[in-house]
Amino acid sequence: MPFPSLSPLFLLFLTPEAWSYEAPEDKQDVFARTACPAFLTFTNAAYLSGVTVELPCLCKPEQVQSVVWFFRKHLERSEDTKALTDHHGNHLLDPSQVPHSGDLRSRFSIRLFSLLIFRAGPDDAGVYICGSAHKDFFYGYDLDIQEAATLSFTNRLVSEAADGKRDKSTDLSALYHLFTSFQPWSVCDRCGVPGEQVRAGLCYIRSRFLNVRYRRANQTIVSCGSGAVPRAFGLKRSRVAVKLEVRSCHMTCPSQAPPSKLLGLMSLFGSSSASLPTGLPLYYLTHPDGQVLTLGCPGARPDMAVAWDRGDEPIYRSEHSSGAGTDLRLIIDTGHHLLFQPAQTQDSGVYYCWLYGRRAAEIHLLVYPHFGSQSLLSHPDFPAAVRTVLGSYAAMTAVFFLLMLGRAVLRHRKEQSHVD
């Protein structure tokens, strides 16, 4: 009698690996491994103005389920510390609805215990503390927001020769030294077409007389706007050398996977390239004209290389930056946002943003006329609209009279044929 064939599933259960499998243990909470400091100190963090700043709460007790962030200015007293959230949960905010300029409470959000400040400005500098509703403080930051005073466009050969050189330090006194610390050049923000690279130079100070609460052990360097700098130094922001440098670049695009059979069939049956799926996240945005509009690239961070295109036309920082011209209505700010000041109806179109040399998002923008604050007669498009309406009415009237005239002629001929 032949034996029945064994199924592959039955043979799989006979292997020793199937019987020796153990379920993975739950990962330990990261906050359970990180102890909060017994003496609250403030970690120095410096950013360029206009970027989105993320301050993570690096430690908290396990039993604390929600955190409250506190804020005060550097020169304010500890009694002036105020809470940025209520004591019942997080203050959530949609970044797309954040104005380009506004108070701190309208530009922050808490996500996974981290504080996000959208389009931070120099007025947002200060001390930020992660704590609880009972005013238990866990972790603190000394945030310095510096505004780039100069925007320079350098030649690639000159910038490569100067990469290894440190910026000249300013020996103002024996108590401290000022210098500009440059970040590494970003990667080319586009591929296949000419692109740009950006690097920021922030102001830092070296001194042995920094406030012990605003620095770590054996730390003698902090940013110039830090609270660790003694007031007796008389350091003013006008003496801070903050720079933003841009240079041109060109990078070849990485090899892409061969097109799928679906795309081949679509092209075979006559589908145009515009109807083919691009794989990019698609966003639709409407905005009234005459108001400031800020477009941000989804997923962008301060250290990422971001570029913008309108259709197939690149928008370069060398042509659309606050340092490139005086009367520019469309600029790319230091936070990599595309800023319309103000937006107009002719700005409607399709915009693409790049991250790390690849297109990351497609934004369809529609700027519609806004008649809320101005008279309809004073709108610049009103005369053209009146001419279009009157011309259409005159054309329809002429066609109507021609039809009536033709009908009368035909009736008259019929009557004459009956008489004959």
Side-chain angles (χ1 to χ4, degrees), residues 205-320:
I205 181 173
R206 180 191 296 109
S207 176
R208 295 182 293 106
F209 303 97
L210 302 177
N211 193 321
V212 66
R213 197 162 190 176
Y214 290 86
R215 64 182 177 90
R216 298 175 182 176
N218 301 324
Q219 182 181 358
T220 59
I221 297 178
V222 293
S223 60
C224 295
S226 169
V229 180
R231 299 183 185 180
F233 287 177
L235 191 63
K236 297 182 180 180
R237 291 190 178 272
S238 59
R239 295 160 63 181
V240 173
V242 183
K243 302 177 182 179
L244 183 64
E245 294 186 351
V246 181
R247 71 180 184 184
S248 59
C249 62
H250 193 281
M251 180 178 66
T252 57
C253 294
S255 58
Q256 298 180 354
S260 62
K261 296 181 179 179
L262 177 60
L263 298 182
L265 290 175
M266 292 179 64
S267 60
L268 180 62
F269 286 104
S271 298
S272 61
S273 59
S275 61
L276 298 179
T278 60
L280 297 178
L282 190 59
Y283 300 89
Y284 294 92
L285 178 64
T286 58
H287 190 79
D289 69 341
Q291 298 183 10
V292 176
L293 170 63
T294 305
L295 293 183
C297 191
R301 293 182 177 272
D303 57 343
M304 290 185 177
V306 183
W308 289 92
D309 292 346
R310 179 176 181 179
D312 295 331
E313 180 182 357
I315 303 175
Y316 292 111
R317 286 180 176 83
S318 56
E319 302 172 356
H320 297 273

Side-chain angles (χ1 to χ4, degrees), residues 282 309-313 347-352 361-365:
L282 190 59
D309 292 346
R310 179 176 181 179
D312 295 331
E313 180 182 357
D347 296 326
S348 300
V350 180
Y351 292 84
Y352 297 94
E362 179 180 345
I363 303 175
H364 291 248
L365 174 63

Side-chain angles (χ1 to χ4, degrees), residues 40 42 68-85 87 105 126-132 135 137 214:
L40 184 63
F42 305 107
V68 177
W69 281 88
F70 300 89
F71 167 74
R72 68 173 174 86
K73 295 282 189 179
H74 280 132
L75 300 180
E76 293 180 347
R77 301 173 300 174
S78 58
E79 293 81 5
D80 299 328
T81 304
K82 53 188 176 182
L84 292 179
T85 62
H87 293 173
R105 289 177 178 268
V127 173
Y128 291 82
I129 305 175
C130 171
S132 67
K135 294 188 177 181
F137 300 147
Y214 290 86

Side-chain angles (χ1 to χ4, degrees), residues 322 324-331 341:
S322 56
T326 55
D327 298 327
L328 289 178
R329 190 180 56 84
L330 177 64
I331 65 172
Q341 44 183 14

Side-chain angles (χ1 to χ4, degrees), residues 414-420:
K414 288 182 179 179
E415 291 177 354
Q416 284 185 348
S417 62
H418 287 301
V419 172
D420 296 339

